[in-house]
Amino acid sequence: MSFRRKLPNWYQLWRGVHTGKHTPTKNDIHLPLIYSTIWSDVARKIATSFSQWPIVAMQGYGPNDAPFARKQQALVNAQLRDADVVEKEVCTFLGADLYGTAVSQSLWEHKEEIQTKTTFQALPLSGERVRQIMKQRVITFDGNNHRNVDLLDFFPQPRFRKINGSMGMQWC
């Protein structure tokens, strides 16, 4: 709790917000050098990683592998675009520059929603049109995704270097 109480003041110092009283006869100028340095580094990393399309390029080994590689490339890049990878990586790079490390959770996400569908059908004898309302489950997202995890909410098992693998953590 003592660490969390200090965070708002540190954030104001980082942003360059000065709330103290100043003397009218003195200049009160504060240049948030750390803020501008970190954001310029984040912008440089984003431009290096995501400035070209496609984000991930694939090519096959053999002469007959080119169509399959193009299909895989289109699928992976569509999944990255659907997962808003650029916006999330801005937060990842910012956290890495501020704290020295950043944690992202990689997952497969499956979302289903109930949507209402309206159809009109003709009755067999009279020919009248009848409105029919149906509720059905629709898959709205099914693909890989990742989330940025706040370092204050990340509790790794002590004395382990890897999260998973043969020498990985039992809990995280």
Side-chain angles (χ1 to χ4, degrees):
M1 290 304 293
S2 64
F3 182 75
R4 285 188 183 260
R5 271 188 241 117
K6 294 177 187 176
L7 287 177
N9 292 335
W10 289 346
Y11 182 70
Q12 287 182 350
L13 285 173
W14 176 65
R15 291 291 305 259
V17 177
H18 182 67
T19 57
K21 296 182 179 178
H22 60 277
T23 309
T25 57
K26 294 183 179 178
N27 289 335
D28 191 15
I29 298 172
H30 181 268
L31 178 66
L33 183 63
I34 296 172
Y35 178 80
S36 60
T37 303
I38 287 175
W39 274 108
S40 66
D41 185 54
V42 169
R44 190 170 34 255
K45 288 176 183 175
I46 289 293
T48 302
S49 302
F50 301 108
S51 63
Q52 291 182 345
W53 185 260
I55 297 171
V56 177
M58 297 181 185
Q59 60 184 10
Y61 288 114
N64 298 333
D65 295 338
F68 183 71
R70 281 195 304 271
K71 187 185 291 185
Q72 288 289 82
Q73 174 180 312
L75 177 65
V76 168
N77 285 298
Q79 287 176 341
L80 289 174
R81 189 178 340 115
D82 288 344
D84 296 327
V85 71
V86 176
E87 290 84 4
K88 290 178 184 176
E89 287 304 307
V90 166
C91 295
T92 302
F93 291 145
L94 179 63
D97 281 354
L98 281 173
Y99 308 118
T101 187
V103 178
S104 293
Q105 180 184 17
S106 179
L107 59 129
W108 189 270
E109 195 168 11
H110 180 84
K111 289 183 183 177
E112 290 185 5
E113 295 179 2
I114 296 176
Q115 292 183 350
T116 305
K117 182 179 177 183
T118 305
T119 59
F120 293 94
Q121 294 182 348
L123 292 175
L125 297 176
S126 65
E128 288 184 43
R129 295 183 56 91
V130 178
R131 183 174 67 170
Q132 186 177 20
I133 299 173
M134 296 172 36
K135 291 186 178 183
Q136 60 185 8
R137 287 186 159 305
V138 176
I139 298 172
T140 56
F141 186 82
D142 190 20
N144 61 358
N145 202 353
H146 75 279
R147 288 191 190 107
N148 296 322
V149 179
D150 189 358
L151 285 179
L152 296 176
D153 295 331
F154 182 69
F155 305 107
Q157 185 177 1
R159 298 186 296 276
F160 281 89
R161 288 185 176 202
K162 294 182 179 180
I163 293 178
N164 54 12
S166 61
M167 300 294 292
M169 299 175 188
Q170 295 175 359
W171 56 268
C172 180

